[in-house]
Amino acid sequence: LMSHPRLGFGLWYSLRNPAQWSRPYPEIYAQTLRQIAWAETIGYDDVWLTEHHFCEDGHAPSILPLAAAVAARTTRIRIGTSVLLLPLYHPVRVAEDAATIDIISNGRFELGVGVGYRPQEFKGLGLRSQDRGARMDEGLEIIRALWRGETVDYAGRHFTVEGAKLAPMPVQSPPPLWIGGFAPASAQRAARIGDGYLGTGDMGELVKIYREERARLGKPGPGRLIGGHFWLVVSRDPARTLAEIGPHVLYQIEMYNKWLGEAGQALFPPVSSPAQLAEMGILQILGPQQAVDAIATYAEATGIERYYTWTVPPGYPEEKMNDHLQLFAEEVIPKFR
């Protein structure tokens, strides 16, 4: 019997509603909250929420209210943001809202932040995207100080704060702070000021940068990492599952390629069919034992302590994923306990 690394397992949501599969938003949000509440009873450890703004498919823009809703509906599962686009916010409000969610959840909130990359998101909020790195660094400094219970006087290029003191304080002192992103700078920032680095997909290069930066700063140990395959679905009938969810995942990847292309970045090669997604390993639909092997290999290569992957493809009914989530909970998760 192979011994596998111990891992926590998470869900990941964007709550998108593409026009071709359109449903009422209250239904999508209600089904998602119901699914999360159920998932914590079958063994999932955490749930991650992601944000984007001004998307035609309504990709969730407001993940702190969503995190509060999850906190109120659950008792055990940890609730994280992967990621909150910190440069778009005033850091004092993020510190306050995060503390409030931590109180509602009785100490289950984790803040994951990224700098963002879509120019339109900055324009729509009256900000300059070229300021995002500096706004991120200033914001993190302010949040850290508030969570330490300090009275904060801060004069930065982007934020000026006088006499800010957080009340009430979060239950955790402080909540974990993760830094994510696809650029080397995000891995370095995670090493410098985060509790860990939060990634997805092929993280090898970024993990290396994260560890090198920690070593350069004289920090002990390999650091902390969360990641997972972009899409890994467990199924007893992979061909049928590919036919069902493939078009929805293809839509998602095409949208990411469009956004990243507009930002001058690339995450995926161009894809034109669900079958191609499977060939390229972007969408892995595996039997339970294959999934265990794939996750073990990934965890050993990256050194992650927690694994998460997308839960529901855009426009696909949430409850139709429940069989896959249950199979994963029964036949994959126990191997990593």
Side-chain angles (χ1 to χ4, degrees):
L1 268 174
M2 260 183 80
S3 78
H4 295 309
R6 287 180 63 83
L7 291 176
F9 285 91
L11 311 160
W12 193 18
Y13 292 96
S14 57
L15 293 101
R16 302 166 85 152
N17 190 14
Q20 62 266 50
W21 300 295
S22 177
R23 292 153 58 209
Y25 281 99
E27 183 187 307
I28 294 170
Y29 279 50
Q31 295 277 17
T32 300
L33 290 168
R34 192 174 302 136
Q35 186 172 66
I36 295 165
W38 166 73
E40 82 166 353
T41 68
I42 63 168
Y44 286 88
D45 302 290
D46 39 54
V47 54
W48 298 92
L49 304 166
T50 183
E51 81 172 273
H52 277 298
H53 299 263
F54 319 121
C55 305
E56 64 254 40
D57 64 13
H59 184 303
S62 298
I63 51 176
L64 294 173
L66 277 169
V70 172
R73 285 285 297 265
T74 56
T75 57
R76 188 188 65 78
I77 205 164
R78 297 193 65 78
I79 305 150
T81 55
S82 176
V83 288
L84 176 118
L85 305 176
L86 186 60
L88 303 178
Y89 291 79
H90 196 291
V92 175
R93 292 309 321 270
V94 174
E96 290 177 333
D97 286 350
T100 300
I101 297 163
D102 205 48
I103 291 164
I104 295 169
S105 67
N106 194 20
R108 293 182 285 128
F109 185 64
E110 313 208 359
L111 182 64
V113 296
V115 292
Y117 58 86
R118 295 182 64 220
Q120 182 52 46
E121 297 183 325
F122 293 87
K123 288 179 188 158
L125 286 153
L127 300 167
R128 291 164 11 119
S129 66
Q130 56 267 46
D131 292 338
R132 67 192 192 273
R135 287 178 66 89
M136 176 88 152
D137 288 337
E138 290 187 17
L140 286 167
E141 215 176 311
I142 291 165
I143 290 167
R144 282 274 195 218
L146 288 167
W147 282 356
R148 284 194 297 265
E150 295 170 18
T151 299
V152 178
D153 291 299
Y154 187 91
R157 255 177 57 211
H158 302 284
F159 299 105
T160 303
V161 174
E162 289 178 45
K165 189 170 190 336
L166 190 58
M169 288 288 284
V171 173
Q172 301 173 94
S173 81
L177 181 58
W178 300 89
I179 295 172
F182 307 124
S186 58
Q188 289 169 328
R189 192 178 272 116
R192 208 166 64 242
I193 41 184
D195 292 318
Y197 173 69
L198 181 65
T200 184
D202 180 9
M203 287 163 50
E205 197 49 43
L206 291 161
V207 168
K208 192 163 147 274
I209 291 165
Y210 170 70
R211 293 206 169 117
E212 280 167 4
E213 184 70 2
R214 281 184 64 86
R216 195 182 69 74
L217 295 165
K219 295 192 173 184
R224 299 181 63 192
L225 297 152
I226 299 176
H229 297 104
F230 202 73
W231 272 106
L232 185 142
V233 178
V234 180
S235 172
R236 298 235 187 259
D237 187 348
R240 185 177 151 202
T241 302
L242 178 63
E244 286 171 357
I245 72 170
H248 296 262
V249 176
L250 182 63
Y251 163 87
Q252 181 197 33
I253 301 300
E254 284 175 335
M255 192 62 85
Y256 277 123
N257 278 345
K258 178 172 169 276
W259 289 351
L260 286 157
E262 287 164 2
Q265 298 183 35
L267 190 56
F268 305 107
V271 278
S272 55
S273 72
Q276 219 182 339
L277 289 172
E279 279 158 31
M280 290 159 70
I282 296 169
L283 169 58
Q284 299 185 66
I285 302 174
L286 306 174
Q289 188 52 52
Q290 285 176 296
V292 170
D293 296 343
I295 291 166
T297 301
Y298 183 91
E300 274 146 27
T302 52
I304 55 167
E305 60 186 64
R306 288 146 82 179
Y307 178 94
Y308 73 125
T309 181
W310 285 113
T311 306
V312 183
Y316 196 71
E318 291 73 25
E319 68 276 15
K320 281 188 150 179
M321 292 304 292
N322 286 353
D323 287 349
H324 302 292
L325 295 179
Q326 183 140 16
L327 189 58
F328 191 97
E330 286 172 1
E331 301 202 19
V332 177
I333 292 177
K335 301 283 197 295
F336 295 91
R337 289 296 190 232

